[in-house]
Amino acid sequence: MALDGAFLHGVLHEIKEVALGARVDKIAQPSREEIILHLRWRGGSSKLLISAAAGSPRIHFTKEAPENPKAPPMFCMLLRKHLGGAKLLDIRQQALDRICFLDFEAVNELGDLVTLTVAVEIMGRHSNIVLINQNGKVLDSIKRVDLETSSVRQVLPGMQYQLPPLQDKISLLDTTGEAAVERILTGREQELSKAVLENVMGLSPILCREAASFALKGQEDSNHSLSNLQKDRLVFFMNSLISTLASGNLTPTVVLEPEGRPRDFSFISITQYGPAMVTRPYPDCSSLLDDFYRQRDTMERMKQRSGDLLKLLVNTSERIARRIAAQEEELLRSESRETLREKGDLLSANLYALKKGDTKAVVEDFFKEESPMTEIELDICLTPVQNAQRYYALYRKADTAEKVLRQQIAHGREELAYVESVFDALTRCTTEAELTAIRQELSGQGYLRRSGEAKRQKVGKLPPLRYRSSEGYTILVGRNNLQNDQLTLKDSRNSDLWLHTQNIPGSHTIVVSGGDSIPPQTTMEAAALAAYHSKARDSSKVPVDYTLVRFVKKPSGAKPGKVIYDQYSTVFVTPDSQLHDQLVQE
C-alpha cells in the first residue's frame, strides 16, 4: 500500500509537465505532518499536497480542501516567509528512491534571488519535509530529528542537509531488463517476489508480486529455480517496466476489495488477484492518490483534532458502565429482601421466648414445610421488639432500593447509549464545524466545560447531509444528535419516510416524500445510506428500520437523538461507499 519510488517517478513527471515555472500563491498546513502549496501558473492553478504522515507519506496534486487550523503552525509560517511568491524551478528525484527535491527561486530578506529546496522524504515513519537554503543547510523540517530520535542522521535547523544512506539496489532508470534479472537471480535464494523486492530499487511489494506472477504464471518458486522460459518472461516484464517509466505512459490502477474498499495501487495494470479483487484505472497518478488516501487522511486529521473529546467519551462510557455494574450487583443483593421480612415476622411471633442480650434466636420457621428450626442473629444492645423492627426496616430499605436501582440502571443504560451515539457521530466527523457542533452538544448536556472564549464563539448552522436518490427523491441525513432531533421532529413532514439502524448508534435518515409513496428502490438506497452513517459502516447485512415520520415520537426528558417508534418495517442492507459518492450532493 506504500507509495514506491517508481510510482513517485510517475507523479513527479505529471507535476513537471504542468507546474514548472508556477508561483507559490498560498501555503497551508491543515495537520501536523501535511503541507499544501497553492501553485498558480499562466492559464491554471492547483494544490500540491505534501504529506510526511507515517501511514500515508506522499506528494501529488489534490482537489481536496481540508480545513486549516485558526493559528498556522511554526513550520507553515516559516514556509510562508521563505517561499511566498517563489517560483518552482525544478523537481528532482534521487534515482528511484522515495526522495525528491523541489527547487524554488525566492527572494531573501535583502532582496536577492536565492534557490531554496524542499526535500520530500517518503520513508514510512521516518518521512519528513525539509526546507534547505542555498548553502545546503537545513532551515527547518516538519519533523525535527535529534540524537535521541536517530543516532545515524539528524535533521535540525542549522545543520548541513545529508541524504539518507542509499540502498544497495539496482535502479531501473539506468539499467536493462537483462541486468536487473541477472541481479535478482544471483542474489540469495528466496521467493522470487522477495528477491525482486530486495534487489530492485523503487518497486513496492504488489509490483514485485506482479513480476513473480507474470514470470511464474501464478506459481511459487525461488529465484534460483527458474526455467529459461520463466527467466525470459521476467526479463520481458522488467523491460516493460523500464519502457513504461521512460515514456511516462503509466496506467495508474487501484485494487479494490469486493466491497469496494481500496487495498493497494500501482502504475501498471494488476492481474495477480484474478477475480478475487476488482481493479479500477485512473487517468493520472495524482487523482488515484487523492482518492486512495482521502478517507484515511480525513479520519486521521479528525482524530488529531478530536482527541480530547474521544478521551472524554471513553472515560465517561467506562464510568457509566462501572456504575451500572455496581448497581446491578446491589440489585441482586436486594432480591433477598423477603428473607428480612420473614425474620421480622418470626421474631415477632416469638417475642415471649426472647430477652435483651440474646445473640441469636432459635425459632421454628413456619414459612417452610415441616417448620424446621432456624437461627436468627440478634443485636445484643436491642430488645426483642427492636430487633424485629430492625429486620422490618432493613426489608423496607431493600424494597425501596430495588425500585430506585431499577430506575437508576435504566437511566444509566440510556445515558450509555447516548454517549455511544455521540462517540459514533464523532468518529464520522469530517469538518471542524461538525466537531464544534458536538462540543456544543456535550456542553449543553453537562459533559464538557467550555471556556469563556469557546462560549462566545459563534457557530454557523450546519445543514444535514443531502443526497438525491436514483429516482430523484431528496434524502437527508443528520450529522449529530441535535441535528437528528431537528431533522426528525421539526423539519420533516408526517408523510416523509424515516430510517435508522436497528439498535445500532447512527444518524436519522429522512426521505422527503412530497406527498408521494416512496418507491422500493429509493427506500433501499436510503437504508444503505442510514447504515453507512452508523456504527455498522464496515459491516454487512445491517438491519435498518423504516417508518413514516408520524409514527416517530420523542419520550419526555429523553437525551438528544433518542426517539421511539412503532408500525415499522425492517430491511437488511450493506453500507456502500460508492453509493454514497454517487448520490451525495455538494
Side-chain angles (χ1 to χ4, degrees):
M1 190 179 292
L3 172 62
D4 60 26
F7 199 100
L8 177 62
H9 182 80
V11 175
L12 299 180
H13 179 74
E14 292 176 359
I15 298 173
K16 277 185 179 182
E17 283 190 330
V18 298
L20 282 186
R23 295 280 181 180
V24 178
D25 191 26
K26 298 178 183 177
I27 301 175
Q29 187 174 347
S31 65
R32 187 173 58 228
E33 300 171 339
E34 185 178 87
I35 292 293
I36 293 181
L37 302 179
H38 294 249
L39 301 178
R40 186 175 300 278
W41 57 88
R42 181 171 295 183
S45 63
S46 189
K47 290 175 289 188
L48 184 64
L49 182 147
I50 308 174
S51 174
S56 57
R58 64 198 191 278
I59 175 174
H60 60 84
F61 287 128
T62 181
K63 294 181 180 178
E64 293 295 305
E67 289 184 302
N68 296 314
K70 294 178 181 178
M74 291 300 296
F75 187 66
C76 179
M77 295 292 289
L78 182 76
L79 291 180
R80 289 178 181 179
K81 173 184 176 182
H82 290 281
L83 297 183
K87 180 181 178 181
L88 180 59
L89 295 179
D90 194 15
I91 300 175
R92 301 173 283 118
Q93 184 179 11
Q94 178 76 6
L96 269 187
D97 208 351
R98 293 180 296 171
I99 301 175
C100 65
F101 303 93
L102 283 69
D103 295 327
F104 292 91
E105 182 183 72
V107 179
N108 64 13
E109 295 88 342
L110 302 177
D112 299 327
L113 288 177
V114 295
T115 299
L116 301 180
T117 300
V118 174
V120 182
E121 302 174 354
I122 300 175
M123 304 183 297
R125 64 188 180 91
H126 301 293
S127 300
N128 210 341
I129 304 171
V130 187
L131 181 62
I132 308 167
N133 69 9
Q134 66 272 21
N135 300 318
K137 290 190 176 181
V138 175
L139 292 176
D140 207 346
S141 58
I142 205 164
K143 297 178 184 176
R144 293 185 177 181
V145 182
D146 55 19
L147 277 171
E148 291 185 2
T149 307
S150 173
S151 59
V152 178
R153 175 176 176 261
Q154 291 78 51
V155 182
L156 294 170
M159 296 185 65
Q160 197 73 20
Y161 177 79
Q162 295 181 347
L163 283 169
L166 274 175
Q167 297 176 307
D168 183 22
K169 295 183 179 182
I170 192 169
S171 171
L172 294 181
L173 294 181
D174 50 16
T175 190
T176 63
E178 290 78 6
V181 171
E182 180 66 22
R183 173 70 178 268
I184 294 167
L185 299 183
T186 55
R188 65 189 182 94
E189 185 174 8
Q190 55 188 319
E191 289 181 19
L192 181 57
S193 62
K194 294 181 179 178
V196 176
L197 183 65
E198 186 175 283
N199 292 283
V200 182
M201 180 183 294
L203 302 188
S204 61
I206 186 175
L207 203 53
C208 296
R209 292 196 301 270
E210 188 70 16
S213 176
F214 182 85
L216 304 177
K217 292 187 175 182
Q219 300 177 354
E220 293 185 5
D221 211 339
S222 75
N223 57 328
H224 288 183
S225 305
L226 269 63
S227 65
N228 290 332
L229 177 60
Q230 291 171 335
K231 293 177 184 178
D232 291 341
R233 290 177 63 84
L234 186 58
V235 169
F236 178 84
F237 187 88
M238 288 298 167
N239 279 326
S240 176
L241 287 184
I242 293 171
S243 175
T244 299
L245 290 172
S247 65
N249 295 323
L250 312 184
T251 308
T253 302
V254 66
V255 179
L256 304 170
E257 295 179 357
E259 62 270 19
R261 182 183 305 168
R263 176 166 180 170
D264 217 326
F265 61 86
S266 187
F267 63 92
I268 63 171
S269 298
I270 300 297
T271 61
Q272 61 187 275
Y273 296 105
M277 295 286 177
V278 179
T279 59
R280 181 193 300 169
Y282 276 78
D284 54 72
C285 296
S286 285
S287 60
L288 183 151
L289 294 175
D290 210 20
D291 278 357
F292 190 89
Y293 287 108
R294 178 185 58 188
Q295 183 176 0
R296 180 194 296 179
D297 274 10
T298 299
M299 292 175 62
E300 182 63 26
R301 194 178 297 115
M302 287 298 103
K303 184 178 179 181
Q304 290 180 12
R305 298 186 181 180
S306 62
D308 60 328
L309 292 183
L310 289 170
K311 183 177 180 180
L312 169 70
L313 292 174
V314 168
N315 291 341
T316 302
S317 178
E318 291 177 350
R319 184 175 66 251
I320 295 172
R322 289 195 300 268
R323 186 178 68 215
I324 292 175
Q327 290 170 341
E328 288 177 337
E329 184 178 348
E330 187 177 352
L331 178 63
L332 190 63
R333 291 196 300 268
S334 70
E335 291 178 353
S336 61
R337 64 188 182 283
E338 288 300 324
T339 303
L340 298 173
R341 182 184 60 80
E342 291 175 359
K343 288 181 178 180
D345 289 345
L346 292 175
L347 291 178
S348 297
N350 292 274
L351 291 176
Y352 65 92
L354 304 175
K355 63 180 183 298
K356 185 176 181 179
D358 290 342
T359 59
K360 62 181 179 181
V362 181
V363 297
E364 290 184 5
D365 188 354
F366 48 74
F367 290 102
K368 298 180 181 177
E369 292 184 6
E370 299 180 1
S371 298
M373 302 301 291
T374 185
E375 290 186 358
I376 302 175
E377 293 184 1
L378 300 177
D379 188 334
I380 59 175
C381 297
L382 302 178
T383 64
V385 173
Q386 289 173 331
N387 269 297
Q389 292 299 323
R390 183 171 69 91
Y391 278 106
Y392 285 136
L394 291 174
Y395 165 75
R396 289 191 297 271
K397 182 179 179 181
D399 187 57
T400 303
E402 181 188 21
K403 298 174 183 177
V404 173
L405 284 171
R406 291 190 185 279
Q407 292 176 353
Q408 290 178 342
I409 291 171
H411 181 269
R413 287 173 178 165
E414 288 183 3
E415 186 179 12
L416 187 60
Y418 169 72
V419 171
E420 289 178 354
S421 71
V422 177
F423 187 90
D424 172 62
L426 183 61
T427 59
R428 290 185 279 108
C429 281
T430 58
T431 66
E432 188 70 34
E434 290 176 336
L435 278 180
T436 303
I438 288 181
R439 290 182 189 277
Q440 278 193 331
E441 178 183 339
L442 290 173
S443 177
Q445 296 298 312
Y447 293 99
L448 183 67
R449 286 185 179 181
R450 307 194 73 198
S451 63
E453 181 180 352
K455 290 178 181 178
R456 292 190 296 271
Q457 182 182 0
K458 292 183 179 180
V459 180
K461 185 178 180 182
L462 270 176
L465 297 171
R466 181 177 291 268
Y467 301 84
R468 181 168 294 277
S469 75
S470 58
E471 296 170 313
Y473 287 87
T474 297
I475 303 173
L476 304 174
V477 180
R479 299 173 187 257
N480 51 61
N481 286 315
L482 292 177
Q483 194 174 88
N484 286 338
D485 281 352
Q486 177 72 25
L487 181 61
T488 299
L489 305 172
K490 297 183 179 180
D491 296 344
S492 301
R493 297 184 177 181
N494 286 336
S495 58
D496 292 341
L497 190 68
W498 180 89
L499 304 94
H500 194 280
T501 46
Q502 187 181 85
N503 299 323
I504 300 173
S507 295
H508 293 198
T509 303
I510 296 291
V511 182
V512 181
S513 67
D516 300 337
S517 177
I518 304 299
Q521 177 66 23
T522 294
T523 300
M524 293 301 293
E525 290 174 352
L529 290 173
Y532 182 79
H533 291 284
S534 75
K535 192 176 182 179
R537 173 177 288 191
D538 297 325
S539 304
S540 59
K541 296 183 179 179
V542 179
V544 178
D545 295 338
Y546 65 94
T547 185
L548 295 178
V549 170
R550 68 165 60 99
F551 300 123
V552 182
K553 310 294 179 186
K554 187 170 187 67
S556 177
K559 293 281 188 182
K562 171 69 174 178
V563 294
I564 55 176
Y565 53 93
D566 54 13
Q567 301 186 37
Y568 64 92
S569 300
T570 304
V571 294
F572 291 85
V573 296
T574 297
D576 188 348
S577 60
Q578 292 185 10
L579 179 67
H580 164 274
D581 296 340
Q582 177 184 341
L583 302 182
V584 69
Q585 292 183 295
E586 299 296 339

